Amino acid sequence: MRQVQRFVAGLAVWVAAMPAWSMEPDALCQAIATRPNIVVVMRHTEAVGRAPVVYDETGACRGENMLTGKGQRDARAIGDAFARRGLTAERLHVVASAMCRTRDTARLAFGKAELDPALREFLSGRGPGLNAAMEAAEGWIRRLRGPQPLILITHLPNIDALTGEQPEYNVGVVTEAHANGQLTVLGQLPLLP
């Protein structure tokens, strides 16, 4: 019986310490628009190809997965949805992986992005490549956290490592950034109506 009581007490402490990941979409939108230190981490929109880790350093996209037509339309629609909420490109910091599908998502949605090759996809989910991606992401977060929201466009394994979340396409993970570059998840926000 004592073990059960300890387990229940431990579970209650764990639940109380969990972030408010269940915030409603309206509350998440309000947080993005009004709270400091907000970072929206999102995947590139729908892409197609057979080599998710191929990266063409020249920017010509040779061999890389590319956005589908739907992915291109969705990226534009995401930018429109942010703009309708008053979150125009001028009011946002936008950072993206330099891989073509994330670069193109950022440019179609927001018309701009600071690109970082270190944020590229590392499917292994571990090792020096993922460590470099996490260090790069946390560096951007430390530098750009503040009154303007940061939109960080990257890849699913990187998002999982940063937030513990695995969002679908067109869903942003809304987080609060800490001075050390780590994130507290507030919730997942559908980016398209």
Side-chain angles (χ1 to χ4, degrees):
M1 183 66 164
R2 268 186 159 209
Q3 289 177 328
V4 170
Q5 288 173 330
R6 278 191 295 220
F7 173 77
V8 170
L11 185 60
V13 169
W14 178 74
V15 168
M18 288 179 66
W21 54 265
S22 62
M23 285 179 70
E24 293 296 321
D26 287 343
L28 291 170
C29 290
Q30 184 69 16
I32 296 168
T34 62
R35 287 173 57 173
N37 305 318
I38 294 296
V39 178
V40 179
V41 186
M42 62 179 273
R43 295 174 71 179
H44 54 80
T45 52
E46 184 180 88
V48 66
R50 295 188 180 160
V53 295
V54 170
Y55 170 56
D56 180 2
E57 295 179 13
T58 70
C61 306
R62 286 185 295 269
E64 287 195 42
N65 288 3
M66 300 298 295
L67 295 183
T68 63
K70 180 182 181 332
Q72 293 172 15
R73 289 186 300 278
D74 287 351
R76 287 184 193 98
I78 288 168
D80 291 344
F82 271 89
R84 278 194 304 277
R85 291 184 174 102
L87 296 165
T88 59
E90 298 78 33
R91 292 198 55 219
L92 302 168
H93 293 291
V94 181
V95 175
S97 158
M99 294 181 92
C100 292
R101 60 192 180 272
T102 47
R103 176 201 70 191
D104 293 349
T105 298
R107 288 180 178 168
L108 288 167
F110 304 105
K112 68 176 187 177
E114 295 190 56
L115 303 178
D116 189 341
L119 294 174
R120 68 182 200 255
E121 181 167 354
F122 295 96
L123 275 181
S124 68
R126 61 183 179 281
L130 182 62
N131 292 340
M134 293 309 92
E135 289 172 15
E138 289 174 356
W140 283 106
I141 293 163
R142 283 191 302 272
R143 282 191 302 279
L144 297 177
R145 69 188 284 276
Q148 286 183 269
L150 167 61
I151 308 297
L152 181 62
I153 304 171
T154 188
H155 308 273
L156 188 58
N158 304 14
I159 295 170
D160 187 13
L162 279 168
T163 67
E165 302 285 322
Q166 295 184 346
E168 297 293 326
Y169 289 124
N170 307 324
V171 174
V173 180
V174 181
T175 67
E176 183 177 24
H178 303 280
N180 64 1
Q182 294 186 352
L183 302 171
T184 297
V185 174
L186 301 177
Q188 287 194 23
L189 177 66
L191 299 173
L192 295 180

